[in-house]
Amino acid sequence: MLLDTRSFVEYWRSFRARTIRILDLIPVEDLEWTYAPGKYTLGDIFRHLAGIERYMYGETVRHRPSAYPGHFAALASGPADIRVYMERCHVEALEIFAALTLEDLTSKCVTPAGAPITVWKWLRAMVEHEAHHRGQLYVMAGMRGISLPSLYGLTEEQVVSLSEPSRRS
């Protein structure tokens, strides 16, 4: 259970930083690429994450309706504008999250679908949502031939090579 907003804010800041690092590695010409018509572009995913953090999660944890603006290029186009948009939304959301009290964290908010959920569980869902889209970014970058570094140091192949052979089944 999430009971400490200060540690959550630090965790979330670090978590989001790993996502933003990906933006720096996407070539400008690939930013609005998508694998199929009508599907998110790489840029759409970054804009979506920014807007959903601030305007959906940030509003609903304060017991307000979602004000999510969408993910369209009109919100921010190009790497510099997307970074500014992401950073602004992130700073504003962190201020909201940092102000939550224990009473707030254990209260129920209402999702855009109308489902009540405990605020700390809703914040946990936000992290899971970001992880989902970060995975999309890695897959889509791979489809474009863009090499992205391992998020946590070692690649899977490196872990296998460093693992004890007698313990492998």
Side-chain angles (χ1 to χ4, degrees), residues 41-66:
T41 67
L42 291 159
D44 288 340
I45 295 171
F46 290 110
R47 288 183 290 268
H48 169 70
L49 290 172
I52 216 86
E53 174 193 19
R54 170 58 188 89
Y55 297 107
M56 188 186 77
Y57 289 102
E59 292 303 306
T60 55
V61 300
R62 295 194 294 183
H63 307 286
R64 297 178 181 175
S66 172

Side-chain angles (χ1 to χ4, degrees), residues 19-33 41-47 50 72-73 75-88 146:
T19 302
I20 291 201
R21 280 196 292 269
I22 298 168
L23 177 60
D24 296 333
L25 301 172
I26 305 296
V28 174
E29 62 273 12
D30 290 317
L31 197 55
E32 299 306 330
W33 173 84
T41 67
L42 291 159
D44 288 340
I45 295 171
F46 290 110
R47 288 183 290 268
F72 308 103
L75 293 165
S77 63
D81 285 349
I82 291 173
R83 176 179 279 286
V84 167
Y85 180 60
M86 288 191 80
E87 288 176 357
R88 180 184 58 79
I146 302 164

Side-chain angles (χ1 to χ4, degrees), residues 33-133:
W33 173 84
T34 184
Y35 59 93
K39 300 297 183 183
Y40 278 10
T41 67
L42 291 159
D44 288 340
I45 295 171
F46 290 110
R47 288 183 290 268
H48 169 70
L49 290 172
I52 216 86
E53 174 193 19
R54 170 58 188 89
Y55 297 107
M56 188 186 77
Y57 289 102
E59 292 303 306
T60 55
V61 300
R62 295 194 294 183
H63 307 286
R64 297 178 181 175
S66 172
Y68 176 62
H71 61 271
F72 308 103
L75 293 165
S77 63
D81 285 349
I82 291 173
R83 176 179 279 286
V84 167
Y85 180 60
M86 288 191 80
E87 288 176 357
R88 180 184 58 79
C89 288
H90 187 57
V91 165
E92 291 175 12
L94 286 174
E95 288 172 3
I96 293 166
F97 302 150
L100 295 172
T101 66
L102 180 57
E103 184 178 332
D104 294 327
L105 291 170
T106 57
S107 69
K108 296 269 188 185
C109 63
V110 179
T111 70
I117 186 170
T118 306
V119 167
W120 74 264
K121 289 180 181 178
W122 191 228
L123 290 173
R124 182 180 62 191
M126 178 181 68
V127 175
E128 293 169 3
H129 175 258
E130 179 114 352
H132 156 74
H133 284 298

